[in-house]
């Protein structure tokens, strides 16, 4: 059995904005959406009324009197906590500050070295691969050098034994 629109409760997100809504500090668009929900739900209206009554009751309570030095003592206490915290962390920062810079330099140098190696490996021709590709040429190199130039090959091409007429 689901609750009708008149008995819908506010969602947790809406309830979180309720104080700002009651104080008039909620953004216009959010306030308009919350007003619509409150208008259509008696349960939501009761929640808003209860919150307003709570704030009114708190306003009627006597306010504590704070001495004039309260502000100064509070700020000096906070500063002392911060300075003690910094004093405890200073040796660690000094020890790890240099180590951190060294680690960063090593990482940058390692990355540059790895990048240089990969670039050289990819761009530099592999002599073994070239030799394998031109193996036939290398095996008959002595014979090719004995020929000297292409004149003999041209003569053989024109001869009837090796020429185009044999095809």
């Amino acid at each position: 059995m689901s609750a009708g629109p008149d008995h819908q409760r506010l969602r947790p997100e809406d309830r979180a904005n309720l104080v700002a809504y009651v104080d008039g500090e909620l953004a216009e668009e959010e306030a308009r959406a919350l007003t619509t929900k409150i208008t259509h739900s008696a349960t939501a209206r009761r929640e808003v009324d209860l919150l307003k009554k709570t704030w009114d009751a708190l306003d009627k309570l006597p306010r504590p009197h704070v001495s004039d030095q309260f502000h100064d003592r509070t700020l000096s206490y906070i500063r002392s906590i911060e300075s003690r915290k910094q004093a405890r962390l200073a040796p660690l920062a000094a020890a790890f500050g240099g180590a951190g810079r060294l680690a960063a330099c090593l990482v940058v140098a390692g990355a540059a070295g790895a990048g240089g190696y990969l670039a050289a490996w990819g761009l530099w021709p592999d002599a073994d691969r070239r030799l394998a590709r031109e193996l036939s040429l290398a095996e008959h190199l002595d014979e090719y050098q004995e020929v000297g130039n292409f004149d003999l090959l041209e003569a053989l091409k024109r001869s009837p034994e090796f020429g185009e007429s044999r095809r």
Side-chain angles (χ1 to χ4, degrees):
M1 180 171 143
S2 65
D6 198 39
H7 295 290
Q8 277 187 326
R9 296 183 55 88
L10 292 174
R11 295 178 308 163
E13 302 87 37
D14 297 331
R15 201 168 286 114
N17 290 331
L18 217 51
V19 174
Y21 173 80
V22 169
D23 287 344
E25 299 171 352
L26 199 59
E28 185 178 335
E29 186 176 310
E30 292 174 323
R32 198 174 314 120
L34 198 54
T35 301
T36 303
K37 289 179 185 180
I38 292 169
T39 303
H40 293 305
S41 172
T43 305
R45 280 193 299 277
R46 278 194 295 276
E47 288 185 51
V48 171
D49 289 339
L50 183 63
L51 183 63
K52 286 181 181 179
K53 287 178 184 176
T54 303
W55 282 114
D56 290 341
L58 287 173
D59 284 340
K60 291 178 182 172
L61 290 175
R63 299 209 179 253
H65 179 69
V66 180
S67 69
D68 294 336
Q69 291 111 8
F70 178 77
H71 178 264
D72 295 332
R73 283 195 326 240
T74 303
L75 288 179
S76 65
Y77 177 71
I78 292 171
R79 285 187 195 116
S80 72
I81 291 173
E82 287 295 320
S83 66
R84 280 186 278 173
K85 181 179 170 184
Q86 288 176 354
R88 278 195 320 263
L89 296 178
L92 290 174
F96 287 114
R101 279 187 234 114
L102 176 64
C105 289
L106 289 174
V107 166
V108 169
Y117 172 77
L118 291 174
W121 179 72
L123 297 175
W124 198 265
D126 185 10
D128 293 336
R129 189 177 304 154
R130 181 177 176 202
L131 184 60
R133 189 176 62 239
E134 298 175 358
L135 181 61
S136 173
L137 178 67
E139 288 175 337
H140 300 287
L141 184 61
D142 293 333
E143 296 163 4
Y144 295 145
Q145 287 177 339
E146 283 179 19
V147 170
N149 58 27
F150 292 104
D151 293 338
L152 177 63
L153 294 175
E154 289 292 328
L156 287 174
K157 183 179 178 184
R158 286 189 300 268
S159 73
E161 292 86 16
F162 296 103
E164 295 177 12
S165 61
R166 284 194 85 198
R167 286 188 191 175

